[in-house]
Amino acid sequence: MTPAAAAPAPATVLVFLDPAFQDGRLADSSKPQLMATDQGATRGDGVFESLLAVGGQPRKLQAHLDRLAGSARVLELDIPAQDAWRRAIATAISEYRSQSAPAAGAAADDELVVKLLVTRGVEGGSPTCWVQASATSPAGRRQRETGVDVILLDRGYDSEVGERAPWLLLGAKTLSYAVNMAALRYAHAHGADDVIFTSADGRVLEGPTSTVLLAHLETSDDGAGGVRTIRRLITPQLDSGILPGTSQGALFTAAKAAGWELGYGPLEPRDLFDADAVWLISSIRLLAPVNHIDGKEIGTPELRRQLTEELNALYATIE
């Protein structure tokens, strides 16, 4: 007997925040929804957030809503209150899951990408705001398991430019991702999976869509004739013009409770090469261990696997 083919994943679900619809207005993703004159399309003028929903529950929702509000303030965008976003998110997740329910026994812990998007709208109008729900990328899941090879790329400005030139919007998560995507295409063309940006003054910054983490293990006398292992987790300084990572912040909280020591840069490329493990962490891909940087292996496969498993276990406790 020929097994029945699995039903395809549902199309992307769109829910627009609309004062006339308390829980958001469902829209057909197969039809145009954005005005051609919307400044998000013509100028990349807007902000967004991406979060993961597992089993129908969005993860780190408050952190993402807070960062969305912060980005909107930087761009002087007047966006709906957080309760309106929560209702629209719940509508998008519920609609997506209802569409996927008939599909070959959708698992209860299925992952879903939820994006919150805001554009400035048409000139003279009000912002356009919507929630988008779609399936996760198989490539992202695969990179959690197999890791990534990255290259270092110069971002072209020093680590203090964010304070000196706030109009560059370096601390906001904006729709202007053309440079980030160009960096990823450059990496792929040169045999790498991803990028870690560095500043003109030699500081480690972030990935195009991720935060950089590194770990060091140190052993010392425990005072009773034995040896204790100190686990230290480090990320670049937040005042160096990088986006504060919601996943990094949540993981730091969990790691601290588990006895890890925490640190913030400044970091230089040599710190990456000297680390016992390096990761790129983001809300959708989660922890992707870095296997090689510029062709040089980081740590050992065994240690990378061990530390990744430990941090994944901590991350799984985050709501």
Side-chain angles (χ1 to χ4, degrees), residues 87 148 317:
R87 291 193 298 270
V148 293
T317 67

Side-chain angles (χ1 to χ4, degrees), residues 211 235-245 248 264-265:
T211 303
T235 195
Q237 284 179 304
L238 295 179
D239 61 359
S240 57
I242 65 176
L243 183 73
Q248 170 268 314
Y264 291 86

Side-chain angles (χ1 to χ4, degrees), residues 228-246:
R228 71 186 184 104
T229 300
I230 300 172
R231 287 165 163 73
R232 183 173 292 112
L233 197 59
I234 307 171
T235 195
Q237 284 179 304
L238 295 179
D239 61 359
S240 57
I242 65 176
L243 183 73
T246 61

Side-chain angles (χ1 to χ4, degrees), residues 144-284:
R144 296 178 202 168
E145 301 172 0
T146 62
V148 293
D149 292 337
V150 310
I151 57 175
L152 300 178
L153 292 183
D154 186 347
R155 191 176 251 176
Y157 50 73
D158 63 69
S159 59
E160 297 179 354
V161 71
E163 295 182 7
R164 195 170 63 248
W167 51 87
L168 294 179
L169 308 176
L170 297 183
K173 194 172 179 70
T174 73
L175 293 175
S176 304
Y177 258 46
V179 170
N180 292 17
M181 298 301 99
L184 287 176
R185 289 193 297 272
Y186 183 91
H188 298 161
H190 289 78
D193 303 301
D194 215 316
V195 168
I196 293 177
F197 286 123
T198 59
S199 66
D201 52 342
R203 298 287 178 83
V204 173
L205 298 174
E206 59 191 344
T209 62
S210 59
T211 303
V212 177
L213 295 177
L214 62 86
H216 283 291
L217 298 187
E218 298 177 7
T219 57
S220 65
D221 190 332
D222 65 0
V227 174
R228 71 186 184 104
T229 300
I230 300 172
R231 287 165 163 73
R232 183 173 292 112
L233 197 59
I234 307 171
T235 195
Q237 284 179 304
L238 295 179
D239 61 359
S240 57
I242 65 176
L243 183 73
T246 61
S247 297
Q248 170 268 314
L251 183 59
F252 263 39
T253 299
K256 183 177 181 179
W260 286 64
E261 293 187 358
L262 308 178
Y264 291 86
L267 297 175
E268 299 177 357
R270 65 184 178 186
D271 296 311
L272 299 175
F273 293 114
D274 291 341
D276 289 306
V278 175
W279 299 270
L280 297 181
I281 183 171
S282 59
S283 293
I284 307 303

Side-chain angles (χ1 to χ4, degrees), residues 140-147 287-289:
R141 292 197 187 204
R142 184 170 59 252
Q143 288 180 354
R144 296 178 202 168
E145 301 172 0
T146 62
L287 278 161

Side-chain angles (χ1 to χ4, degrees), residues 44-64:
D45 193 353
V47 297
F48 78 103
E49 283 289 321
S50 298
L51 60 97
L52 192 68
V54 181
Q57 298 300 314
R59 302 184 74 176
K60 301 186 284 84
L61 178 55
Q62 188 60 53
H64 284 287

